[in-house]
Amino acid sequence: MQSYTIGQAARLLGVSPDTARRWADAGRVATHRDESGRRLIDGRDLAAFSVEVGQAGAGEEEPGYTSARNAFPGIVTAVKLGDVAAQVEIQAGPHRLVSLLTREAVEELGLEVGMQATARVKSTSVHIDRT
């Protein structure tokens, strides 16, 4: 499972690293240390926490998103596989994006809860780029 540094988590949550650090210090999201002493957040824990933050609003700061190319970097919070189709949810700061795509595309991208991904939106379609 992928883990994220405080800085990476902050970018995915749409807040400053200081805000993410305060949340971790307050126990709102669990962290652990790697062999070099850096604090890391497990991908599944970050995915669950990003949903919580997204439902509560943007948190303490407004996200710095732009409409340039309609890209929403975030974290995969749910993957539902059917026989042919799949549904993928991404939390990008306070934004929850849901994409319906083929099961084959999800498997080729290796999408799973807790991994970083970017939703690209064109018209009413959401395309997922693995990052």
Side-chain angles (χ1 to χ4, degrees):
M1 172 52 54
Q2 186 168 355
S3 292
Y4 298 90
T5 65
I6 295 289
Q8 291 170 325
R11 186 178 60 76
L12 293 170
L13 293 168
V15 299
S16 73
D18 286 337
T19 297
R21 198 171 293 107
R22 282 193 302 272
W23 286 343
D25 290 345
R28 290 188 63 192
V29 62
T31 63
H32 63 277
R33 295 207 182 258
D34 67 6
E35 55 279 347
S36 60
R38 293 182 309 163
R39 287 177 25 174
L40 301 175
I41 302 170
D42 179 72
R44 288 191 183 273
D45 292 339
L46 183 58
F49 183 67
S50 70
V51 170
E52 176 187 323
V53 169
Q55 290 172 346
E60 298 175 15
E61 302 173 12
E62 288 297 315
Y65 289 105
T66 177
S67 64
R69 297 198 295 177
N70 300 319
F72 295 87
I75 187 165
V76 176
T77 57
V79 176
K80 298 173 187 163
L81 296 174
D83 291 337
V84 176
Q87 178 178 313
V88 176
E89 294 181 24
I90 292 179
Q91 192 73 38
H95 309 289
R96 176 180 165 263
L97 297 118
V98 179
S99 178
L100 300 176
L101 56 163
T102 65
R103 179 186 181 118
E104 180 181 12
V106 170
E107 290 171 347
E108 283 179 10
L109 289 170
L111 295 175
E112 60 183 40
V113 172
M115 77 181 326
Q116 193 173 353
T118 299
R120 296 195 187 274
V121 181
K122 180 176 181 198
S123 186
T124 58
S125 298
V126 177
H127 302 267
I128 306 296
D129 295 341
R130 181 175 175 180
T131 53

